[in-house]
């Protein structure tokens, strides 16, 4: 059983090849039958999806539109399997990732090379950057965004659902909220049992400044405190019913973590990579993108609070200094 009904919301859990495990997609009937998120692009996922739909008497052809919470492969992959003519709704940041625009992908690798050099990565580690793109294998290639939505919009075809921008885990991240009964589609913004990780991603345009995902994420979490949320349907795992206390806990824990990073800088300035190795000695090599994102998140947060400062050396490498 991978399908469950909650009032008018149909939840289907789909397998992924990622450590996070299953991803949830949701089907809801408004003016149009809407799918929230689209799993990974694998045969197993598609079969589980078709099976899940059948439990509700539906088939993939019944889906009239897809609303995306964000552009990550486990949320967009099956767009390649769905009919070409359905509407795909989401933040404009999704666009280049859904089509895997070649020029954009190249600029993205250059962005990360530059960034990781600033973080103190030696040149001989550059091949490790390549493996960061591996999950793209499970993403879509032929997806395209047909309707852009932004903060304050109502979801087209789905009356009563408002769009909130929640960047942090992804630059494209949106949540959808129904005021009437306090229901939220949270995507990966808030998960029940694991804390969602802010990820380093390029800005919308490469001439813009790098986003600070942890700082954005905290703001996006705080945004949830102002919404009367009764129940949040998440991208992975179970529903969250006490989202406000969960958000408070997550914010506190992150602050404590940042303070322990500040301690590390007491004796001498460190690069982001050096801090990363201190924080994640066992896994940083295998999970460089994730662990460095987490590390830089804490450093950005401390910088934002004015708790630390940063110096650039003659090789453009950043050294973080405790005040
Ligand atoms: Zn996810």
């Amino acid at each position: 059983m991978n399908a469950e009904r909650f009032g008018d919301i149909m939840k289907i859990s789909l397998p992924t090849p990622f450590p996070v495990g299953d991803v949830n997609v949701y089907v809801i009937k408004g003016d149009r039958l809407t799918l929230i998120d689209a799993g990974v692009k694998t045969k197993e996922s598609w079969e589980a999806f078709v099976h899940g739909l059948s439990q509700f008497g539906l088939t993939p052809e019944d889906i009239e539109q897809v609303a995306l919470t964000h552009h990550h492969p486990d949320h967009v992959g099956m767009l390649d399997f769905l009919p070409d003519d359905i509407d795909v709704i989401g933040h404009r940041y999704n666009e280049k990732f859904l089509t895997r625009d070649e020029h954009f992908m190249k600029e993205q690798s250059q962005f990360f090379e530059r960034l990781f050099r600033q973080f103190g990565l030696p040149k001989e580690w550059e091949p490790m950057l390549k493996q960061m793109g591996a999950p793209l294998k499970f993403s879509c290639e032929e997806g395209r965004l047909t309707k852009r939505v932004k903060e304050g919009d109502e979801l087209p075809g789905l009356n009563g659902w408002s769009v909130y921008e929640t960047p942090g885990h992804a630059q494209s991240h949106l949540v959808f909220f129904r005021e009437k009964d306090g229901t939220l589609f949270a995507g990966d913004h808030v998960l029940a049992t694991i804390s969602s990780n802010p990820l380093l991603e390029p800005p919308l345009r490469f001439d813009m400044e790098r986003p600070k995902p942890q700082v954005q994420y905290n703001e996006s979490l705080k945004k949830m405190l102002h919404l009367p949320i009764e129940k949040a349907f998440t991208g992975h795992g179970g529903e969250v019913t006490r989202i406000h206390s969960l958000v408070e806990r997550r914010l506190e824990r992150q602050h404590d973590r940042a303070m322990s990073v500040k301690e590390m800088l007491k004796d001498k300035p460190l690069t982001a990579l050096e801090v990363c190795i201190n924080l994640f000695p066992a896994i940083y090599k295998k999970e460089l993108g994730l662990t460095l994102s987490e590390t830089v998140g804490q450093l950005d947060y401390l910088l934002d609070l004015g708790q630390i400062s940063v110096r650039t050396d003659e090789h453009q490498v950043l050294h973080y200094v405790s005040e």
Side-chain angles (χ1 to χ4, degrees):
M1 262 293 277
N2 67 331
E4 197 176 347
R5 184 186 272 279
F6 300 82
D8 63 343
I9 293 168
M10 296 165 259
K11 173 181 181 180
I12 305 176
S13 305
L14 305 172
T16 79
F18 302 131
V20 69
D22 287 359
V23 65
N24 303 320
V25 301
Y26 300 91
V27 179
I28 177 167
K29 176 93 187 98
D31 288 340
R32 311 184 78 185
L33 190 71
T34 306
L35 175 68
I36 310 288
D37 285 345
V40 290
K41 185 181 159 181
T42 63
K43 192 164 158 274
E44 294 73 21
S45 172
W46 181 251
E47 283 171 0
F49 179 58
V50 174
H51 177 72
L53 283 176
S54 74
Q55 320 255 323
F56 304 116
L58 297 168
T59 70
E61 289 71 41
D62 294 322
I63 304 290
E64 294 175 290
Q65 61 177 22
V66 185
L68 300 175
T69 62
H70 62 297
H71 68 277
H72 292 166
D74 50 334
H75 298 258
V76 304
M78 292 191 310
L79 287 180
D80 276 4
F81 299 152
L82 286 161
D84 285 343
D85 54 348
I86 62 171
D87 270 322
V88 180
I89 304 161
H91 188 279
R92 60 185 289 210
Y93 190 88
N94 286 286
E95 274 157 3
K96 302 237 164 80
F97 286 93
L98 296 188
T99 54
R100 285 205 236 161
D101 180 279
E102 223 172 275
H103 180 66
F104 172 79
M105 288 299 161
K106 212 168 169 185
E107 275 194 307
Q108 176 172 245
S109 344
Q110 287 162 358
F111 165 82
F112 278 116
E113 271 170 38
R114 234 181 2 255
L115 197 61
F116 281 26
R117 227 171 290 141
Q118 291 177 343
F119 293 152
L121 233 77
K123 211 165 166 48
E124 58 272 24
W125 284 26
E126 259 167 29
M128 284 165 72
L129 288 176
K130 298 256 168 354
Q131 84 197 33
M132 278 175 57
L136 275 180
K137 192 166 103 192
F138 302 103
S139 191
C140 61
E141 278 173 284
E142 292 147 30
R144 76 262 168 278
L145 197 72
T146 61
K147 286 184 180 163
R148 288 178 178 182
V149 285
K150 56 180 190 321
E151 178 95 7
D153 287 349
E154 185 166 88
L155 268 184
L158 212 55
N159 268 341
W161 288 87
S162 313
V163 173
Y164 290 85
E165 295 184 7
T166 49
H169 174 66
Q171 290 304 307
S172 58
H173 207 292
L174 303 175
V175 299
F176 309 123
F177 182 59
R178 180 164 65 184
E179 180 110 46
K180 189 180 75 180
D181 63 352
T183 302
L184 184 79
F185 285 121
D188 287 357
H189 184 40
V190 182
L191 302 174
T193 52
I194 42 175
S195 60
S196 186
N197 42 340
L199 292 177
L200 286 166
E201 287 180 336
L204 192 58
R205 290 194 330 265
F206 287 96
D207 58 349
M208 292 162 81
E209 209 187 311
R210 162 178 86 78
K212 313 253 181 320
Q214 182 73 58
V215 177
Q216 290 176 314
Y217 182 63
N218 290 359
E219 285 314 305
S220 299
L221 274 183
K222 286 177 194 159
K223 208 182 255 188
M224 299 300 100
L225 296 175
H226 304 296
L227 294 179
I229 300 164
E230 292 291 331
K231 190 176 212 167
F233 291 92
T234 61
H236 304 273
E239 292 65 58
V240 177
T241 44
R242 290 204 191 89
I243 194 168
H244 292 167
S245 54
L246 184 66
V247 163
E248 302 277 12
R249 272 206 310 283
R250 294 272 155 82
L251 288 168
E252 269 169 41
R253 269 207 10 215
Q254 186 272 319
H255 178 81
D256 293 346
R257 187 145 215 206
M259 288 305 148
S260 63
V261 167
K262 190 187 169 188
E263 277 295 306
M264 287 178 195
L265 305 177
K266 266 225 168 102
D267 300 333
K268 61 173 183 147
L270 297 173
T271 65
L273 180 65
E274 288 165 337
V275 175
C276 183
I277 295 172
N278 272 330
L279 277 176
F280 305 100
I283 55 160
Y284 76 93
K285 268 197 175 162
K286 200 163 155 261
E287 293 286 357
L288 191 62
L290 283 178
T291 55
L292 208 49
S293 280
E294 165 72 28
T295 304
V296 173
Q298 307 304 339
L299 294 167
D300 283 345
Y301 174 82
L302 290 167
L303 279 171
D304 193 57
L305 284 185
Q307 295 270 353
I308 61 170
S309 57
V310 66
R311 289 196 309 248
T312 310
D313 73 13
E314 67 276 23
H315 307 291
Q316 303 307 311
V317 175
L318 305 174
H319 299 263
Y320 294 87
V321 187
S322 182
E323 291 293 295

